[in-house]
Amino acid sequence: MDDKVVTAIGTPNKALVMYWGKRNNRLNLPMNSSLSITLDESLNTRTSIVFSKKIKRDAIYVNGEKHDLEARAQNEKMMLSKRVIDRMRSLSGTKAKALIVSRNSFPTSTGLASSSSGAATLVFAASQALGLKASARELSILARQISGSGSRSLMGGFVKWTKGSKPDGSDSYAEQVASEKYWPEVMDIIAVFTASKKKVSSSEGHDLTLKQSKLYFLRPEYAEDRLEAMSDAIRARDFEPLAEMIMRDSNNMHATMLDTYPPIMYLDDRSREAIYAIHELNQSEGKNIAAYTFDAGPNAHVITLRKYKSKVMGMLGELIGDGKILAAGQGSGPRLLGESESLIDYRSLKPTE
Ligand code: PMV
């Protein structure tokens, strides 16, 4: 298993019932269960990894930037990645150090869920490089410990992450509700108003909202109920109620953020314009043909059906200015790539660029 370079590709997911607030910060255990769609490879993370005795220190390159995983001062995501890599290494019995090289095809830390595809692709690639016979559920638990939303990117289609109740998090993992083939018409059109990084990271946001918002206590139960109703709408392929519940969930989550003191405001004027424009579009159609939902950032995700794609793109086109519109269908979770796609040179065990 040592010296075997493995390359994988994985994708972000977009939550329809969002995860916000943790009952355990160290293990990323959520206050509520969540539901998402895994996006296709229009947005992707490519990750190469090798474990080798020739490597002296664990290191990860993310979009060309090197992070020494053994350095004392680490950003939080790096510390968590190191902990999960250590765990996987001990499960496999090797002591070899790791080189990881990862690239996102889309802007990072802007509310486009780059951390979900980063975490899921990393644990998937590491399990393959180490020859671990881990199930999707076990990988989901590992990915969750790097980035909560990452737990949902190991599977395709509609995915539910059950919050669980055990203190060790062994019952907090994701499972497929319906595969990407069940209702493939559902897609995500993303208006990227800005590619600049968010002011409050999602880790800080989870924590501050839970501690400071007086409204937050209402959210976990509300989210849990909505998740059941949304799963029913998905099983019935009933878009109208699904769309309303998606918008209500986003509004509810961002209301708790605004109620935090000092307030957390991920939405900006363009986000609000998109919200109004979608309500207008739905009204003029006489039914819900599109639903907005915002992660921890101002960029609008618009969940719609393929047959309405051009209408939604037209509407967003008028708002976007110098921004960019991305469109993604549903994907099937991480998969391996061939040697020619590697980001690590096989002979030197160094990044290819
Ligand atoms: O996984 P994190 O800590 O980046 O938090 C993600 C939070 C949201 O994107 C806002 C919602 C979600 O469920 O993905």
Side-chain angles (χ1 to χ4, degrees), residues 13-15 17-20 22 34 77 113 115 147-150 152 161 198 202-203 206 253 257 294-296:
N13 64 74
K14 176 67 195 85
V17 175
M18 289 187 271
Y19 143 62
W20 198 248
K22 304 181 192 187
S34 52
K77 283 271 170 330
S115 67
S147 161
S149 53
R152 299 183 308 240
W161 168 20
K198 48 199 172 204
S202 52
S203 319
H206 283 286
M253 183 184 82
M257 293 165 171
F294 298 83
D295 283 347

Side-chain angles (χ1 to χ4, degrees), residues 4 19 47 54 70 84 89 196 248-249 288 292 336 349:
K4 180 176 159 201
Y19 143 62
T47 300
K54 293 180 204 135
E70 298 188 37
V84 167
R89 194 165 17 218
S196 53
R248 282 183 179 274
D249 187 74
N288 292 335
Y292 54 79
L336 289 174
L349 300 186

Side-chain angles (χ1 to χ4, degrees), residues 244-258:
E244 179 172 333
M245 287 185 274
I246 292 170
M247 293 186 276
R248 282 183 179 274
D249 187 74
S250 176
N251 296 342
N252 179 262
M253 183 184 82
H254 287 274
T256 67
M257 293 165 171
L258 189 61

Side-chain angles (χ1 to χ4, degrees), residues 26-67:
R26 203 179 69 86
L27 294 171
N28 285 339
L29 296 176
M31 292 292 289
N32 65 275
S33 304
S34 52
L35 177 76
S36 58
I37 49 172
T38 298
L39 302 181
D40 69 23
E41 290 175 6
S42 311
L43 282 79
N44 66 68
T45 298
R46 189 159 36 126
T47 300
S48 295
I49 183 166
V50 61
F51 288 87
S52 171
K53 299 255 157 62
K54 293 180 204 135
I55 296 171
K56 299 278 176 293
R57 292 168 80 84
D58 285 329
I60 182 165
Y61 290 73
V62 181
N63 296 327
E65 192 186 331
K66 183 178 180 183
H67 302 264

Side-chain angles (χ1 to χ4, degrees), residues 4-272:
K4 180 176 159 201
V5 182
V6 165
T7 301
I9 185 168
T11 62
N13 64 74
K14 176 67 195 85
L16 310 180
V17 175
M18 289 187 271
Y19 143 62
W20 198 248
K22 304 181 192 187
R23 66 182 158 87
N24 177 319
N25 280 333
R26 203 179 69 86
L27 294 171
N28 285 339
L29 296 176
M31 292 292 289
N32 65 275
S33 304
S34 52
L35 177 76
S36 58
I37 49 172
T38 298
L39 302 181
D40 69 23
E41 290 175 6
S42 311
L43 282 79
N44 66 68
T45 298
R46 189 159 36 126
T47 300
S48 295
I49 183 166
V50 61
F51 288 87
S52 171
K53 299 255 157 62
K54 293 180 204 135
I55 296 171
K56 299 278 176 293
R57 292 168 80 84
D58 285 329
I60 182 165
Y61 290 73
V62 181
N63 296 327
E65 192 186 331
K66 183 178 180 183
H67 302 264
D68 177 349
L69 290 180
E70 298 188 37
R72 285 225 177 137
Q74 292 282 341
N75 81 39
E76 199 201 354
K77 283 271 170 330
M78 296 304 150
M79 248 162 53
L80 298 176
S81 304
K82 163 81 172 146
R83 200 191 296 155
V84 167
I85 291 294
D86 285 346
R87 170 94 191 107
M88 295 180 82
R89 194 165 17 218
S90 78
L91 286 173
S92 81
T94 183
K95 291 204 162 29
K97 301 281 183 182
L99 169 67
I100 304 158
V101 184
S102 187
R103 274 192 184 281
N104 290 321
S105 73
F106 57 96
T108 304
S109 302
T110 58
L112 294 182
S114 56
S115 67
S116 68
S117 58
T121 314
L122 174 57
V123 298
F124 176 77
S127 73
Q128 296 285 329
L130 293 167
L132 289 179
K133 301 245 174 319
S135 64
R137 178 184 295 188
E138 286 160 335
L139 292 181
S140 164
I141 289 177
L142 289 164
R144 188 202 75 222
Q145 293 170 58
I146 300 177
S147 161
S149 53
S151 66
R152 299 183 308 240
S153 268
L154 268 314
M155 299 118 204
F158 292 89
V159 176
K160 175 184 176 182
W161 168 20
T162 303
K163 70 180 166 103
S165 57
K166 293 191 181 161
D168 69 354
S170 56
D171 58 352
S172 183
Y173 51 78
E175 284 171 303
Q176 202 173 54
V177 172
S179 99
E180 62 280 13
K181 296 194 180 74
Y182 184 75
W183 195 10
E185 290 82 4
V186 178
M187 64 176 306
D188 184 9
I189 301 179
I190 309 160
V192 186
F193 297 127
T194 174
S196 53
K197 294 204 175 188
K198 48 199 172 204
K199 289 196 185 72
V200 180
S201 72
S202 52
S203 319
E204 288 169 287
H206 283 286
D207 205 39
L208 288 170
T209 309
L210 192 62
K211 286 194 184 128
Q212 292 286 339
S213 166
K214 301 281 183 239
L215 294 181
Y216 182 80
F217 79 99
L218 290 165
R219 181 165 167 78
E221 199 181 316
Y222 185 43
E224 218 68 44
D225 292 347
R226 199 177 291 115
L227 197 150
E228 287 314 311
M230 273 203 206
S231 305
D232 290 345
I234 290 164
R235 281 189 277 270
R237 298 190 183 89
D238 195 356
F239 189 73
E240 274 219 66
L242 179 68
E244 179 172 333
M245 287 185 274
I246 292 170
M247 293 186 276
R248 282 183 179 274
D249 187 74
S250 176
N251 296 342
N252 179 262
M253 183 184 82
H254 287 274
T256 67
M257 293 165 171
L258 189 61
D259 187 47
T260 298
Y261 190 82
I264 301 171
M265 291 182 271
Y266 289 119
L267 306 186
D268 67 13
D269 286 347
R270 283 161 310 170
S271 322
R272 282 183 281 274

